[in-house]
Amino acid sequence: MQAGRRIEIRGTVQGVGFRPWVLRLARAAGVAGRVRNDPGGVTIEAFAAAGVLDAFYRRLLEAPPPGAAILDVATRDIPGEAAAYFVIEPSVAAAAGRRLSIPPDLATCPDCLRELDDPADRRYRYAFINCTRCGPRFTIARDVPYDRRATTMAAFHMCAACRREYESPADRRFHAQPNACPACGPRLRLATAAGAPVASADPIRAAAAALAAGRVVAVKGLGGFHLACDATSGPAVARLRARKRRDAKPFAVMVRDLARAERLARLDDAERALLASVERPIVLVPRRPDADVAAEVAPGSPLLGVFLPYTPLHHLLLAAVDRPLVMTSANLSDEPIVHRDAEAARRLAPIADLILGHDRAIATPCEDSVARVIAGRPVVLRRARGWVPRALALPRPFARPVLACGADLKSAACVGVDAAAYLGPQTGDLADLATLRAFEESVERLLHLLRVVPEVVACDLHPGYRSTAYARARRAATIVAVQHHHAHVASAMAEHGLSGPVLGVAYDGTGYGTDGAAWGGELLLADYVRFERLATFRPLALAGGDAAIRQVWRLALAALDDAFGGEVSLAGLPLFARIPARDVAVVRQMIAAGLNAPRAHGVGRWFDALGALVLGRAAARYEGEVAAAWNLAADPADRARYPFAVDLSGVPWAVDLRPLVRAAVADLLGGRPAGAISARFHNTLVAATAEVVRAAAARHGRLPVVLTGGCFQNPRLAEGVIAALGSGHTVYLHGAIPPGDGGIALGQALVADARVRACA
Ligand code: ZN
Ligand code: ZN
Ligand code: FE
């Protein structure tokens, strides 16, 4: 007797080769029936003996195709049918069309790579080879449903051979929307920086030769252009830096394969898996001292951002040039990534020597994602290509569609509809006008693809944020301003499916507090509706406001004057040797009088202050530079810590780091190495955090603890707090949602939804 079962699978299951895979699995298992795409995902109706169906079901969930992400599976028994075969049925039209069926872009799969290298294959060395398991998706989609007509591949008409593959259910290119070959698909083209065509029989080899000669080549990728140069050549990298007007931020390096990545960095299994994952992020890894990479790539950093090729074009280029390449987003300093050909010729002319482009348009710009292994697991630091627009499943549906506008420095918006949240690509600092425009376009695109008109718009509490102004200008029925760290905590809760309350540790540089001060060293008792500020750090004076974020010596001075009551001599401190006495006097006056010196509670500011003081670095060339250097300086072996005080008598409780500052100055004057002082600083923060969390747990119960905010991109801090809290607490760190401000929109969306419900 045939049993019947309907299996409904939700998530990213379209455009990733899911149905052909189900077909093969069913045929191998001896299951008859059908599979089809529907607006919400994939539906399978399977018929076989009950035991066979069970085995088939288990295999379904065991190892789905690499690009798939299953959010939810529902099964129920249906009447048996005497079906003889298993077939792929035509799709049910996306009537409601609510859910976003477009998958993220997928790195070239092993099967396609084999064909790419096979001289007998008709796609030998074809730079646009792809299949149902790999290739461009989100970045070529103009509309939903995800169908060739609605992508930038609509301009290319499939030849007979490609069409046959596309229409054969058993073919691995069945309904591969970007399917193409040299006869019918996109073509490479080489051009001068000004856009004039360069005749070449083999554009890839020509570009490789230019790179080997030290030139800068703009390469069209999935979500935009990269600027590439030889990463082993100091002069080439220096030239790129100068032309791009980027004087300090590290560049990412693309290498041909994992074996070559191992030559540059010491990798563990988790890092190898992350590098080779279908998302292919830039992975921050510990660089080998003897790595063959020019010093100019990541000046002074023990880390290197490494990634592997993710398009056939990258594979061919890396094979031809056979050396690590700097591959950095094509733009000028803080501008958005260049993704249109006309724009490339105009904006990249002063930077690139050559443009390796092609005629497949990019519909949606998307930067490379950045990730790092922390506490043994991948943590996404910048969420863009490879992850966007994957949905995050939520335990309950949004009451009304929500748009959350995020924060300014690392902007990313989030749309919440039904029981899913969609975090858009991280764009950049909205202080740049072109970036602001790119952000607005990306929001409109996401709303369009989801067919959502937001009824609730969420934003940061900061009145000066451009994202806040953008939210208000939308004139939605309901606007909800969410406190920055509450949003951070809610974003971590949402990622882990926690309903709250939780103890949320939110450490970052700056976020606008309900009292108007700059928060950022917060312990919150929170659920989605409200929060209580249980603890914070004793603040530092931000002399000159934002000026202190770049001129970090001002923060060091504020920390010293607070710790020593203004009585400390700066004479022995190398940091102050190069700062004019008059500047010091002016800043001291501002601090003492509290004039134009707002209070800052951010843990990130403490990293700036101590980094400036101990490393002798007066200024950061970009936000967080000195803080990052201070983190990276820490000696992994040093386990000692400095004294600190926790004042549990006030509201909120206060962590007082003045004893730490006094001890660190003594160490500095005593000649202790910076690495040891940095390690002790970290260990002290860990101990102080554990102490306030334990005190909070004693009062409010052993609630789940979430770690969030930009400071938890720092493994020493994150791993230290997790270890210090031990088995007594369940501690959650971010994974697929960035701990920094790029992840904040998700939390805003959930808080706004919860507030709307609470008021209803
Ligand atoms: Zn493939
Ligand atoms: Zn073709
Ligand atoms: Fe933040």
Side-chain angles (χ1 to χ4, degrees):
M1 180 57 201
Q2 296 275 70
R5 200 164 293 168
R6 177 176 295 137
I7 305 166
E8 293 176 340
I9 303 176
R10 306 276 164 263
T12 306
V13 287
Q14 297 183 6
V16 293
F18 203 83
R19 288 171 306 159
W21 170 76
V22 170
L23 178 90
R24 281 194 293 276
L25 213 61
R27 286 184 177 169
V31 168
R34 56 194 79 97
V35 58
R36 62 173 174 263
N37 279 344
D38 57 37
V42 162
T43 299
I44 301 165
E45 285 165 348
F47 308 102
V52 174
L53 284 184
D54 289 341
F56 169 64
Y57 181 70
R58 273 196 304 275
R59 297 219 43 206
L60 261 183
L61 302 185
E62 233 167 51
I70 295 177
L71 292 182
D72 178 50
V73 183
T75 63
R76 66 186 174 93
D77 289 336
I78 53 172
E81 271 178 37
Y85 303 104
F86 196 93
V87 296
I88 297 179
E89 274 197 337
S91 304
V92 174
R98 253 294 176 69
R99 291 191 177 87
L100 189 47
S101 61
I102 305 168
D105 300 291
L106 306 167
T108 313
C109 76
D111 288 338
C112 286
L113 284 182
R114 242 183 323 271
E115 291 178 2
L116 189 68
D117 277 343
D118 177 3
D121 194 274
R122 69 190 190 93
R123 292 189 180 87
Y124 176 58
R125 288 180 57 78
Y126 181 52
F128 304 91
I129 189 170
N130 68 84
C131 71
T132 46
R133 289 196 171 201
C134 75
R137 299 286 188 275
F138 176 65
T139 53
I140 58 165
R142 293 195 196 278
D143 211 339
V144 286
Y146 174 68
D147 207 354
R148 186 167 177 119
R149 279 167 307 158
T151 70
T152 60
M153 282 301 292
F156 301 93
H157 298 281
M158 268 188 268
C159 68
C162 286
R163 166 77 46 198
R164 251 194 315 280
E165 296 164 340
Y166 184 85
E167 287 172 352
S168 315
D171 196 278
R172 64 185 195 85
R173 295 200 166 87
F174 175 65
H175 284 194
Q177 307 303 345
N179 190 27
C181 77
C184 67
R187 281 165 205 212
L188 290 173
R189 57 187 179 209
L190 201 61
T192 65
V198 174
S200 165
D202 190 335
I204 288 174
R205 292 219 169 87
L211 287 164
R215 302 256 140 65
V216 174
V217 179
V219 180
K220 191 172 178 180
L222 282 182
F225 282 81
H226 280 118
L227 291 164
C229 77
D230 180 355
T232 65
S233 159
V237 181
R239 198 173 310 126
L240 174 56
R241 259 190 201 289
R243 292 188 192 168
K244 200 172 139 77
R245 289 189 223 146
R246 172 147 141 171
D247 55 0
K249 278 190 197 172
F251 285 137
V253 171
M254 187 181 272
V255 292
R256 197 175 164 188
D257 51 29
L258 268 183
R260 285 167 176 87
E262 306 258 14
R263 290 186 207 157
L264 302 187
R266 288 189 315 276
L267 305 177
D268 63 23
D269 286 346
E271 287 162 340
R272 270 181 223 112
L274 187 55
L275 277 166
S277 68
V278 71
E279 293 90 358
R280 292 286 156 104
I282 295 168
V283 183
L284 300 183
V285 287
R287 111 194 247 166
R288 288 186 192 279
D290 59 344
D292 186 15
V293 165
E296 289 82 352
V297 169
S301 176
L303 296 180
L304 207 54
V306 176
F307 60 150
L308 299 184
Y310 53 85
T311 70
L313 174 53
H314 294 151
H315 282 284
L316 293 168
L317 185 63
L318 269 290
V321 75
D322 200 22
R323 71 191 71 192
L325 293 180
V326 163
M327 290 282 262
T328 181
S329 293
N331 57 7
L332 208 59
S333 51
D334 287 329
E335 290 176 4
I337 187 167
V338 172
H339 72 286
R340 292 190 187 93
D341 298 276
E343 204 190 354
R346 190 162 41 82
R347 280 172 57 196
L348 301 181
I351 311 178
D353 298 303
L354 209 57
I355 299 178
L356 178 59
H358 55 74
D359 53 358
R360 186 182 70 202
I362 295 169
T364 301
C366 204
E367 301 251 7
D368 291 314
S369 293
V370 180
R372 182 167 191 185
V373 172
I374 302 178
R377 294 184 324 134
V379 177
V380 176
L381 307 182
R382 178 169 72 197
R383 185 178 161 114
R385 181 204 34 88
W387 272 276
V388 176
R390 199 181 286 168
L392 186 83
L394 298 168
R396 67 170 180 186
F398 283 88
R400 291 194 268 151
V402 179
L403 166 67
C405 298
D408 270 22
L409 202 59
K410 296 180 166 69
S411 60
C414 180
V415 176
V417 63
D418 301 336
Y422 302 84
L423 198 56
Q426 192 169 313
T427 8
D429 186 351
L430 300 185
D432 175 72
L433 259 173
T435 305
L436 179 61
R437 212 166 306 126
F439 169 76
E440 292 172 1
E441 278 170 22
S442 110
V443 171
E444 293 307 331
R445 211 172 289 116
L446 194 59
L447 290 171
H448 173 75
L449 294 176
L450 285 160
R451 301 287 191 268
V452 161
V453 178
E455 293 170 29
V456 178
V457 173
C459 62
D460 196 272
L461 196 61
H462 199 306
Y465 270 2
R466 284 172 176 81
S467 51
T468 302
Y470 173 72
R472 300 210 177 272
R474 292 194 65 94
R475 308 200 169 281
T478 311
I479 292 181
V480 182
V482 182
Q483 198 281 322
H484 189 90
H485 304 94
H486 187 203
H488 270 306
V489 171
S491 131
M493 288 168 63
E495 172 162 20
H496 295 292
L498 304 172
S499 52
V502 300
L503 296 174
V505 182
Y507 290 173
D508 63 6
T510 304
Y512 194 80
T514 52
D515 58 358
W519 294 8
E522 312 307 310
L523 172 63
L524 307 182
L525 171 65
D527 58 22
Y528 290 116
V529 179
R530 64 187 72 79
F531 71 91
E532 189 184 330
R533 192 186 192 199
L534 297 182
T536 188
F537 279 66
R538 181 185 165 87
L540 278 173
L542 218 53
D546 280 353
I549 293 173
R550 289 292 173 107
Q551 295 180 36
V552 285
W553 67 268
R554 295 173 181 226
L555 285 162
L557 186 56
L560 288 171
D561 277 358
D562 192 30
F564 293 95
E567 301 293 303
V568 69
S569 154
L570 305 179
L573 300 169
L575 169 65
F576 295 97
R578 279 165 292 131
I579 296 164
R582 195 180 336 131
D583 291 2
V584 171
V586 168
V587 167
R588 269 200 151 141
Q589 237 160 27
M590 291 165 86
I591 295 169
L595 224 80
N596 190 17
R599 289 162 300 129
H601 300 268
V603 168
R605 299 284 93 91
W606 280 99
F607 275 83
D608 285 334
L610 271 289
L613 181 64
V614 179
L615 301 176
R617 292 174 65 162
R621 285 168 291 184
Y622 54 92
E623 212 247 0
E625 185 195 17
V626 172
W630 182 233
N631 159 221
L632 294 170
D635 175 352
D638 198 308
R639 297 279 143 209
R641 65 173 170 82
Y642 293 127
F644 61 92
V646 176
D647 177 4
L648 298 177
S649 65
V651 177
W653 301 332
V655 177
D656 183 350
L657 294 183
R658 285 177 298 178
L660 171 150
V661 174
R662 292 190 284 264
V665 167
D667 267 357
L668 180 62
L669 295 174
R672 195 178 296 283
I677 302 177
S678 170
R680 291 164 184 209
F681 168 82
H682 280 81
N683 300 343
T684 311
L685 283 183
V686 166
T689 305
E691 186 167 326
V692 289
V693 168
R694 281 198 207 96
R699 184 163 302 183
H700 301 281
R702 291 222 164 158
L703 300 169
V705 177
V706 304
L707 307 181
T708 185
C711 292
F712 286 105
Q713 303 183 30
N714 172 342
R716 178 137 190 161
L717 190 59
E719 289 164 4
V721 171
I722 291 169
L725 289 174
S727 53
H729 295 261
T730 315
V731 185
Y732 297 89
L733 186 65
H734 283 274
I737 303 297
D741 286 1
I744 210 167
L746 173 66
Q748 291 174 347
L750 276 113
V751 170
D753 181 62
R755 294 253 176 88
V756 166
R757 284 167 195 277
C759 293

